[in-house]
Amino acid sequence: GAVVSQHPSWVICKSGTSVKIECRSLDFQATTMFWYRQFPKQSLMLMATSNEGSKATYEQGVEKDKFLINHASLTLSTLTVTSAHPEDSSFYICSARDVVDPRQPQHFGDGTRLSIL
Amino acid sequence: KNQVEQSPQSLIILEGKNCTLQCNYTVSPFSNLRWYKQDTGRGPVSLTIMTFSENTKSNGRYTATLDADTKQSSLHITASQLSDSASYICVVSETSYDKVIFGPGTSLSVIP
């Protein structure tokens, strides 16, 4: 089945560091990828929709200068958390939709656990 | 406001027993409803997807039902196994495939 790979799976870094998370669709092409944030015991919260070759669409309340998204190819989107602070610590999950059949459910990566000290 | 509610919030059952999780939604216009399983520390994995015209869909020991008139769905797990312990998330899509609304999830614990 379709696989979405996220890297890294776990990051621990100092406050003020910028962290890049990669999301790759391994066996399908995705014109659209989604970035979510999930706090403990809560459901996923959509942060932004990443479109290949164009600017990402951010949800209300999400700082686009804080969370930089680049979707340079049909198989790769990146999320960079700039100047991360402890309050940015969370579980970040990406998902991708197959460009061939957008009716199929989004395929999720396994998430990146970000811990800012 | 489009919303998805799930019940119960958490559930503990004995291994081998059956259980049913509920999902109510107010999303309109409705496109499809999906159930996902999310293991701790992992991304969600799709179990079933149902459109307006479908009222039941099975995937192994998982059976989902949908009543589009009452806007209710259920996920029935048969002969539960320890590996079924996870969060089960109901996700409803509007007619735009990009717009999905996540339920808060039901945390299921299967104990020996």
Side-chain angles (χ1 to χ4, degrees), chain B residues 27-97:
Chain B
V27 176
S28 181
F30 172 84
S31 174
N32 62 71
L33 184 147
R34 313 160 192 172
W35 283 93
Y36 284 89
K37 177 187 178 188
Q38 184 178 21
D39 293 313
T40 301
R42 304 293 297 273
V45 174
S46 178
L47 295 176
T48 63
I49 177 170
M50 290 180 290
T51 60
F52 183 88
S53 60
E54 299 172 294
N55 54 24
T56 188
K57 184 73 70 78
S58 291
N59 178 0
R61 294 180 296 103
Y62 302 102
T63 299
T65 64
L66 173 65
D67 185 334
D69 291 331
T70 61
K71 299 188 176 181
Q72 295 179 324
S73 176
S74 65
L75 179 69
H76 187 74
I77 304 175
T78 304
S80 61
Q81 300 176 359
L82 298 179
S83 59
D84 292 332
S85 297
S87 179
Y88 291 83
I89 306 171
C90 174
V91 182
V92 182
S93 295
E94 294 180 359
T95 49
S96 165
Y97 294 111

Side-chain angles (χ1 to χ4, degrees), chain A residues 10-115:
Chain A
W10 203 325
V11 181
I12 302 174
C13 59
K14 294 180 179 179
S15 184
T17 307
S18 291
V19 179
K20 179 185 283 189
I21 303 170
E22 292 187 348
C23 179
R24 294 180 184 273
S25 56
L26 296 186
D27 56 358
F28 66 99
Q29 294 184 326
T31 52
T32 305
M33 291 186 176
F34 305 90
W35 287 96
Y36 296 88
R37 185 172 180 175
Q38 186 177 34
F39 291 105
K41 298 190 184 299
Q42 295 186 23
S43 193
L44 285 72
M45 181 181 71
L46 180 65
M47 298 175 64
T49 302
S50 167
N51 299 295
E52 187 265 338
S54 64
K55 291 183 179 180
T57 303
Y58 290 81
E59 295 299 302
Q60 191 173 11
V62 178
E63 300 175 57
K64 56 185 175 184
D65 294 332
K66 173 77 172 176
F67 300 98
L68 301 178
I69 291 174
N70 185 297
H71 193 159
S73 77
L74 286 173
T75 59
L76 174 64
S77 176
T78 61
L79 168 69
T80 301
V81 183
T82 61
S83 187
H85 291 285
E87 59 267 27
D88 298 323
S89 298
S90 186
F91 191 49
Y92 293 86
I93 304 176
C94 73
S95 72
R97 202 178 60 203
D98 193 328
V99 66
V100 173
D101 188 357
R103 295 171 301 173
Q104 291 301 312
Q106 299 172 25
H107 303 285
F108 287 87
D110 263 347
T112 296
R113 187 161 302 283
L114 176 62
S115 298

